[in-house]
Amino acid sequence: MIDYGSGPAHDELEITLFGPGFGEAIAVHLGENNWLLVDSCIDPATKGPATHAYLQAIGVQPKHVKTIVASHWHDDHVRGMSRLAAHYPDAEFMLSAVFNSDEASAFLAAYGGSAAPGLARGAKELFSVVAQRAEVSFLQQRFSVLELSANGRNVRVSALSPVPAAFAQSLAHFAQYLPRNVAQINHAPELRPNHEAVVLHIDFDGDAALLGSDLESHPTCGWGAVVSNAWCAARPTGSAYKVAHHGSYSGDHPNIWATLLGENPTACLTPFNRGHRLPSDEDKARIKANTAIAYLSSGATRRPEMDAAVLKRLEDICKKVSRVNSGFGAIRLRKLPAANWAVELFGAACAL
């Protein structure tokens, strides 16, 4: 297990990003032991939610977790979410407002119920939480996630997305993929491009951080609509950025850096090592052209390190060949008032 040391000081801001190569989760300390959790992934050492293992390791009690946000329903962002929510029953649970509709509820039920197979894990996770919770809150652009006063500073967490124009498109997608009968349920489609994701802006009384989720670029439904919105553009510029969509070009927009972020922000991101690997070399170069301070939660690959011919023979006789060490890592950003972000890397995390 990773030794994370001690927790943050009472007046210290923290953003810790976890990523094993397939998955993403974030823990945010807002001051005075108030915590926000965003998304969920699995810690390979504990086989449980990474943020829960982390908070236990640094001595955070469940009562101090105030809010849990599921930014969207893709499997790599909600693995273990139902268990995470169960660990913190008093925390408010929030998800994208595109799920606050009959079509979306039917979609989650169809792909998340007992009839759905293992491939629909993302839908199952959200369906389980929504079914178990007496109250769930839904987020869209300009909605407040959390407001509090800590150490004499006003802290406000707001949603910059999804935007209203994304709702009609998402509902059409949900309706299109609703199965006609149980026999047709095989897996939950990913409904690309992703315009449902919740982007969060954290205002630390003038300083700020931006958590980009997996929102993709689109002039009216995605990042284009966010950066062109006057209310979003008026938020304090971020000095830290969780880069959207694993650094992919499809999750970028020039005005994220020019409008929503300050000069040379501290950037962190998680990789995606299934199928089309992200970030690509081109993605890394583009990010580093916008900031000199960038980190990746895992520089490892899920593919075993061995001779290609030997690996092929193993794959011919085995159903699945993967590394024992999954390359799990974490990036921790901490910041005292009037100071710069201090960066700590754990596990397989590395400079971009």
Side-chain angles (χ1 to χ4, degrees), residues 14-19 23-27 38 41 241-243 267-270 295-297 328-333 349:
E14 176 182 322
I15 301 171
T16 300
L17 174 66
F18 305 87
E24 179 173 305
I26 306 171
V38 182
C41 68
Y241 178 36
K242 198 296 292 184
V243 179
C268 54
L269 64 151
T270 61
Y295 301 91
L296 188 66
S297 69
F328 181 81
I331 306 161
R332 184 162 70 191
L333 313 181

Side-chain angles (χ1 to χ4, degrees), residues 56-94:
Q56 280 192 311
I58 63 173
V60 176
Q61 298 178 26
K63 66 180 180 180
H64 295 304
V65 176
K66 304 303 180 183
T67 303
I68 300 172
V69 175
S71 73
H72 61 294
W73 67 277
H74 289 173
D75 188 22
D76 62 318
H77 282 253
V78 294
R79 277 195 169 183
M81 180 61 79
S82 57
R83 283 181 286 167
L84 184 68
H87 286 306
Y88 307 106
D90 295 330
E92 187 170 10
F93 187 80
M94 299 182 167

Side-chain angles (χ1 to χ4, degrees), residues 25 27 119 283:
L119 288 175
D283 294 329

Side-chain angles (χ1 to χ4, degrees), residues 311-331:
L311 178 59
K312 185 178 186 307
R313 290 186 64 188
L314 282 175
E315 289 176 335
D316 287 340
I317 61 177
C318 301
K319 289 184 178 179
K320 183 177 181 181
V321 180
S322 61
R323 295 169 61 104
V324 173
N325 180 356
S326 63
F328 181 81
I331 306 161

